[in-house]
Amino acid sequence: NKKDTAMAKQYFEKYLSLYPDGCNPYDSMGEFYLDTGDTANAKKYYRMALEKYPFYNSALNALQKINAEQKK
């Protein structure tokens, strides 16, 4: 299956623009970047999700996993 990452990114950016105060759009964008191999931007967006909601488990778990992988 060929992934249309450009279109996916557009959808996530639209999601962010519609719900800028929510934590889930930032978490979703972090997941997008993680899935595309861009861990720097993934961490950035996961941190932004945590700024909106500091106890958001999805973002916390993702950051822990990224940090553990980077220590290997």
Side-chain angles (χ1 to χ4, degrees):
N1 292 340
K2 184 178 177 185
K3 293 183 180 181
D4 188 351
T5 55
M7 184 61 72
K9 186 176 179 187
Q10 285 180 5
Y11 284 125
F12 285 123
E13 288 171 344
K14 179 70 172 175
Y15 187 28
L16 283 168
S17 72
L18 291 172
Y19 302 101
D21 295 328
C23 60
N24 192 55
Y26 297 94
D27 182 74
S28 296
M29 187 64 106
E31 188 173 341
F32 165 78
Y33 280 117
L34 188 59
D35 287 346
T36 59
D38 185 347
T39 55
N41 272 319
K43 288 172 79 169
K44 173 185 164 185
Y45 279 93
Y46 285 130
R47 287 185 187 122
M48 291 170 79
L50 292 173
E51 287 175 12
K52 303 291 182 182
Y53 186 73
F55 304 105
Y56 198 60
N57 281 331
S58 177
L60 287 169
N61 293 337
L63 282 172
Q64 288 174 348
K65 183 177 177 181
I66 291 169
N67 289 333
E69 287 292 321
Q70 289 179 337
K71 288 181 181 179
K72 288 184 179 181

